[in-house]
Amino acid sequence: MDLIRKEQKREMGELMKGFVDSTLDFYENMGTQNVAREADDETIHRLKSRGIPAKGRPVKEVFEEMERDVYANQSLVQHPRCFACVPSPVSLFSWMGDIMTNAYDPHAGSWLNASGAGCIEQETIRWMCGLAGYPETAGGLFVSGGSMANLTALTAARDAKLTYADRELGVAYVSDQTHSSVAKGLHIIGFRPDQVRSIPSDSAFRMKIPELRAAIEADLRAGKKPFAVIATAGTTNTGSIDPLEEIAGICENFSLWMHVDGAYGASVLVSNTHRGLLKGVERSDSLSWDAHKWLMQTYGCSAVLVRDPRYLARTFAVHPEYLKDASAGEGEANFWDLGPELTRPARSLKLWITLQIMGSDAMSDMIDHGYKLAETAEKALRRLPDWEIISPAAQAVINFRYAPAGLSDRALDELNQKISRELCAGGFAQVLTTELNGKKVLRICALNPATTREDMLETVKLLDDCAREAVGRMSA
């Protein structure tokens, strides 16, 4: 049964050839577009009322609808002036790798199904482990994102450090700046909220070491079973790096699993200039690392690295009779034995392609560029009256707020929220808010290598313009 007719194949081929050209133009001219666009009510109504047709529709009609109604209505996180959340600049080489991998659709669960993809995943993981300072025997695998990387590592940590009987008493330690995916992951693998200790952070938003040690000692006296500390290398809010060396010492002293959530910050390991900031990560047991953040990959490209991959196999490997013929040989890897997925895409290939074409030195320069952009923003803000730096530039992140005298804390929170909305509505740049020390603050995260110094200075100027206009309206 031929589900695609010949005329449909020809039409699809013509459309896709044009799509490649239009996509290249889209990336080439992205800086001239608005950063974000939301679908209007008419578009949403049209999409909701479409339904699933019984007989199907013309290829060109569906293609054009997707271009017009779906892909055109989104925040362009790959835009050079998207400074919200943790934006994900995309290399066209990653996009090319995505297209090729999706076209050939390798099943990357076992060596038997995709030996070439398996070899590349092994080599890419080894490269990342080497940057982290892990031994040659270390390993890991690619997963869909930081949330799944953290979940995978924490499941291995639970099984390595707790017996089934101990799980009821197990305790994990995070900071008040730890990403929410960690708490979600601990919940999924069976831990109650009262089994997760939130350790306060210091003035630089790093986990406080004396409080961590005291919490562990108190839990031991109470008959609890401390099993893991989750450190962060590049917090979402401020880019702060927890004291990795001190945390490693505590974990070694109390025989705890040390996991480092390096979602975007682990990419600093690629920088020839800044990788020393992550000193101590080599002593951790596991590390999560999102290539789809600061390594310019399309979404769905994250890695979990483990000092001893046998812990992953102990947790995840199963060998039913229908998989016996796919057993891995010497030097081969069946990644379905190292994580929760049996059927899995070859996520590493697009990163491999990008690295092969660009080289690691270009990636290093890109990381350094992000640092300079955040520093440029900080210097520009410090020259302007009434702006307050809440957390200085770190890992391409800076937090600040407009704080003219005479306004209450509540009024300042509302003012900075309004500044964000008005800047975003203009379409030139996207800067959102977060909360630090109980204050609503503006936050810039600058990861895109295409962002220029002029882009950053103009964004700061527009923020200042929005701020003064908002205060003027309040006064009137």
Side-chain angles (χ1 to χ4, degrees):
M1 181 178 180
D2 190 357
L3 296 178
I4 303 180
R5 300 188 299 273
K6 288 183 178 180
E7 61 272 19
Q8 288 179 315
K9 291 179 182 178
R10 284 196 298 270
E11 189 173 15
M12 187 175 72
E14 292 171 3
L15 288 169
M16 291 305 293
K17 288 174 184 176
F19 173 73
V20 171
D21 290 336
S22 65
T23 302
L24 293 173
D25 290 341
F26 166 75
Y27 275 91
E28 181 70 24
N29 300 303
M30 188 178 297
T32 65
Q33 303 175 54
N34 284 357
V35 178
R37 178 178 169 184
E38 187 174 352
D40 57 28
D41 292 342
E42 181 183 346
T43 300
I44 294 298
H45 175 74
R46 186 164 56 246
L47 291 173
K48 283 185 173 181
S49 61
R50 179 64 65 194
I52 306 299
K55 298 298 183 182
R57 296 160 55 203
V59 174
K60 186 177 181 182
E61 179 182 309
V62 176
F63 179 91
E64 291 176 346
E65 181 178 67
M66 295 297 293
E67 290 266 80
R68 181 190 65 247
D69 292 347
V70 178
Y71 303 127
N73 296 305
Q74 64 181 71
S75 292
L76 297 176
V77 294
Q78 65 272 56
H79 194 288
R81 293 186 299 278
C82 179
F83 303 122
C85 304
V86 181
S88 300
V90 173
S91 165
L92 281 171
F93 304 128
S94 176
W95 173 74
M96 181 179 76
D98 230 354
I99 290 175
M100 294 173 68
T101 303
N102 287 335
Y104 288 102
D105 200 26
H107 184 303
S110 70
W111 189 273
L112 177 67
N113 283 336
S115 54
C119 177
I120 282 179
E121 184 160 357
Q122 278 185 317
E123 293 305 305
T124 309
I125 289 291
R126 282 173 181 159
W127 174 72
M128 298 170 89
C129 285
L131 289 175
Y134 281 1
E136 290 186 4
T137 52
L141 74 162
F142 277 81
V143 292
S144 60
S147 296
M148 186 55 70
N150 288 334
L151 175 65
T152 302
L154 292 171
T155 308
R158 179 199 65 188
D159 293 352
K161 296 297 182 179
L162 298 173
T163 65
Y164 281 103
D166 287 340
R167 291 186 186 181
E168 185 72 16
L169 301 172
V171 182
Y173 303 83
V174 302
S175 89
D176 57 17
Q177 295 298 305
T178 300
H179 194 271
S180 60
S181 65
V182 171
K184 182 187 291 187
L186 288 167
H187 167 72
I188 291 171
I189 62 175
F191 293 101
R192 305 181 307 273
D194 65 279
Q195 291 179 277
V196 183
R197 303 280 181 266
S198 180
I199 307 301
S201 56
D202 60 20
S203 60
F205 303 99
R206 302 174 304 173
M207 186 185 290
K208 288 185 175 181
I209 297 304
E211 282 80 350
L212 172 62
R213 181 180 290 276
I216 294 171
E217 291 174 344
D219 282 327
L220 287 170
R221 288 193 299 270
K224 305 294 184 181
K225 299 285 185 179
F227 76 97
V229 178
I230 295 88
T232 304
T235 59
T236 301
N237 272 338
T238 62
S240 301
I241 299 171
D242 283 333
L244 301 179
E245 289 275 34
E246 291 91 336
I247 292 172
I250 288 176
C251 287
E252 290 163 4
N253 185 48
F254 290 101
S255 189
L256 308 182
W257 183 286
M258 178 182 175
H259 174 65
V260 177
D261 180 1
Y264 92 91
S267 292
V268 173
L269 292 168
V270 180
S271 168
N272 299 323
T273 307
H274 295 98
R275 65 169 58 116
L277 293 172
L278 267 61
K279 185 170 172 33
V281 72
E282 71 280 357
R283 297 168 65 185
S284 67
D285 294 287
S286 56
L287 170 67
S288 61
W289 185 345
D290 285 356
H292 59 225
K293 288 194 169 74
W294 214 349
L295 294 186
M296 301 183 69
Q297 299 306 292
T298 58
Y299 284 127
C301 189
S302 181
V304 54
L305 311 180
V306 180
R307 169 178 290 278
D308 187 347
R310 289 177 297 181
Y311 286 114
L312 293 178
R314 173 183 169 183
T315 291
F316 295 109
V318 293
H319 301 105
E321 71 282 359
Y322 45 80
L323 298 181
K324 295 289 186 186
D325 289 344
S327 298
E330 185 71 26
E332 300 172 354
N334 281 349
F335 289 102
W336 59 33
D337 287 339
L338 303 180
E341 294 175 298
L342 184 66
T343 303
R344 57 192 299 273
R347 298 185 177 96
S348 67
L349 299 186
K350 55 190 174 185
L351 176 58
W352 173 265
I353 288 171
T354 306
L355 288 166
Q356 293 299 309
I357 296 171
M358 289 182 60
S360 61
D361 283 349
M363 287 286 198
S364 171
D365 293 343
M366 177 194 63
I367 302 295
D368 296 346
H369 181 66
Y371 277 79
K372 293 173 185 174
L373 288 171
E375 291 163 2
T376 296
E378 180 177 352
K379 290 175 183 176
L381 287 161
R382 289 190 184 278
R383 288 194 293 266
L384 296 170
D386 297 326
W387 286 94
E388 177 185 7
I389 303 298
I390 303 299
S391 69
Q395 277 70 256
V397 177
I398 178 172
N399 287 268
F400 53 95
R401 70 172 185 161
Y402 190 60
L407 294 180
S408 67
D409 288 340
R410 180 176 178 179
L412 288 175
D413 286 350
E414 293 175 353
L415 174 59
N416 282 275
Q417 187 77 69
K418 188 175 296 184
I419 293 168
S420 169
R421 285 196 296 265
E422 293 190 3
L423 176 80
C424 293
F428 179 80
Q430 189 177 50
V431 176
L432 301 183
T433 65
T434 188
E435 292 184 13
L436 292 172
N437 296 332
K439 301 175 181 178
K440 183 76 70 175
V441 302
L442 294 157
R443 175 182 170 280
I444 281 177
C445 182
L447 306 185
N448 199 316
T451 308
T452 65
R453 183 174 182 273
E454 289 70 30
D455 285 332
M456 186 60 73
L457 293 175
E458 182 63 19
T459 299
V460 171
K461 178 184 179 301
L462 289 173
L463 284 166
D464 191 55
D465 291 344
C466 290
R468 299 191 185 284
E469 289 172 8
V471 170
R473 288 194 297 272
M474 291 169 63
S475 301

